[in-house]
């Protein structure tokens, strides 16, 4: 049961990372579109949102990696 909960947690972390990477990509596209239209303040805002989303995505990916490592250590000890 504990292993299934851990697997679910890893999947959830990976899903959240993927969602944030998607948001980051979308915000980056919006930043580029606004830059092209010379809406520099709006472009900067979307670029900042993209950066923030990338940082959140990285955090979730790191959590998933850490959880996977813990799960592997537990398996090796058994």
């Amino acid at each position: 049961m504990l292993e299934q909960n851990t697997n679910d947690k890893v999947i959830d972390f990976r899903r959240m990372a993927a969602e944030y990477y998607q948001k980051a990509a979308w915000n980056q596209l919006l930043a580029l579109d606004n830059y092209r239209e010379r809406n520099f303040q709006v472009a900067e805002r979307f670029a900042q949102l993209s950066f923030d989303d990338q940082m959140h995505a990285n955090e979730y990916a790191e959590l998933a990696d850490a959880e996977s490592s813990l799960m592997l250590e537990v398996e090796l000890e058994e």
Side-chain angles (χ1 to χ4, degrees), residues 14-75:
R14 297 259 184 243
R15 180 173 285 120
M16 291 299 296
E19 288 175 11
Y20 273 108
Y21 281 127
Q22 284 180 312
K23 286 174 60 177
W26 183 253
N27 283 327
Q28 187 64 40
L29 288 172
L30 291 172
L32 292 171
D33 287 346
N34 278 283
Y35 185 79
R36 185 178 311 142
E37 297 295 323
R38 301 198 182 282
N39 296 328
F40 298 119
Q41 286 182 327
V42 175
E44 179 61 32
R45 179 69 182 133
F46 279 117
Q48 184 61 51
L49 288 172
S50 178
F51 178 80
D52 293 343
D53 289 336
Q54 287 179 41
M55 293 299 103
H56 285 101
N58 289 339
E59 288 174 13
Y60 278 110
E62 289 173 4
L63 287 171
D65 290 345
E67 198 68 35
S68 293
S69 293
L70 286 174
M71 192 167 63
L72 182 59
E73 285 180 29
V74 168
E75 286 178 16

